[in-house]
Amino acid sequence: MAVSLSPSLVKLSIFSLFVIVLVRVVGASRFDELFQPTWAPDHFSYEGEQLNMKLDNYSGAGFGSKSKYMFGKTTIQIQLVEGDSAGTVTAFYMSSDGPNHNEFDFEFLGNTTGEPYLVQTNIYVNGVGNREQRLGLWFDPTKDFHSYSILWNQRQVVFMVDETPIRVFTNKEKQGVAFPRDQAMGVYSSIWNADDWATQGGRVKTDWTHAPFVASYKGFDINSCECPVSVTADENVRRCSAGDKGYWWDHPVMSELSLHQSHQLMWVRANHLVYDYCTDSSRFPLPPPECNHHQSKG
């Protein structure tokens, strides 16, 4: 029996195939093709295409992308510190420069042995952050590699874990909510000691007898509009925002979550969200303006 597909479904299927093919062509890159150590290179080690980065009582470590980008999708596979990781933070984030910077944060907050990691996300727009959300994961992130992604276009910022959306920040500029779309960002990661706040509000300190604390990385993938330093900031904004360039992340189907993704996000929030700044009346007696628009998404 022949099956008739609607034109919109045909378009969606073709676009989905296009994205799959594009991802296969781009693939993951080696660390040194996209990144370089930014501090404590003696705390780096390599096993083939796997990077290990350690924290001890002398230093943490960090790396950053060689280029800056605007829009697109960035993914890194990470295996987090195993065992007693209390007091440690492993961060994966994008950020622009300067006091009025934009920033998208994944911060993985270590815990005592047997207690689950918490993942904190945060968003800075024009230098203003304080948009923390925390959630548990539905797996043990220390036992294997999992992918952590940031999708960014002119309509939304989506944080994803193994392609499951865990947070969405939607462009609501028409309602007076600032949205990050005019600054190129670098891609960064670091491991560092944050025992003044990271674990149970700083009540549990880092136990240095368990050092070194090691986070491992692979699967480095940046599928974005690159912004050369030789090009002015305004020109990079024009080039990376041009609708006639055919960027995949500007396609209408990428402007919001699919129905399946919306259900995934609802499941994550219902079962794993443990803190949302939008509902913290002790910090914000009047909810921040974006919370009126992001309660269902974040």
Side-chain angles (χ1 to χ4, degrees), residues 247-291:
Y247 295 126
W248 65 266
W249 51 84
D250 282 336
H251 195 279
V253 76
M254 304 301 294
S255 65
E256 60 183 7
L257 298 184
S258 68
L259 181 60
H260 175 63
Q261 288 175 318
S262 295
H263 289 161
Q264 288 180 311
L265 179 61
M266 290 172 62
W267 175 81
V268 168
R269 290 182 63 87
N271 294 280
H272 298 282
L273 186 69
V274 298
Y275 175 81
D276 185 351
Y277 76 107
C278 281
T279 60
D280 189 342
S281 58
S282 63
R283 287 179 65 195
F284 304 104
L286 293 177
E290 70 270 15
C291 291

Side-chain angles (χ1 to χ4, degrees), residues 63-75:
F63 63 80
S65 58
K66 296 178 179 179
S67 298
K68 287 185 169 58
Y69 305 89
M70 190 171 296
F71 308 126
K73 184 178 181 182
T74 300
T75 301

Side-chain angles (χ1 to χ4, degrees), residues 69-86:
Y69 305 89
M70 190 171 296
F71 308 126
K73 184 178 181 182
T74 300
T75 301
I76 296 181
Q77 296 177 36
I78 308 174
Q79 183 172 359
L80 294 171
V81 176
E82 197 168 11
D84 186 349
S85 57

Side-chain angles (χ1 to χ4, degrees), residues 69-71 96-97 100-102 104 124-127 152-154 173 178-185 227 232-238 240-241:
Y69 305 89
M70 190 171 296
F71 308 126
S96 57
D97 299 327
N100 296 320
H101 72 294
N102 299 329
F104 313 138
Y124 286 75
V125 185
N126 298 329
W152 173 34
N153 58 35
Q154 297 183 70
E173 290 177 305
F179 186 81
R181 62 184 184 92
D182 60 352
Q183 299 180 40
M185 292 186 172
C227 298
T232 66
D234 288 345
E235 179 58 31
N236 277 324
V237 170
R238 285 193 294 270
C240 294
S241 304

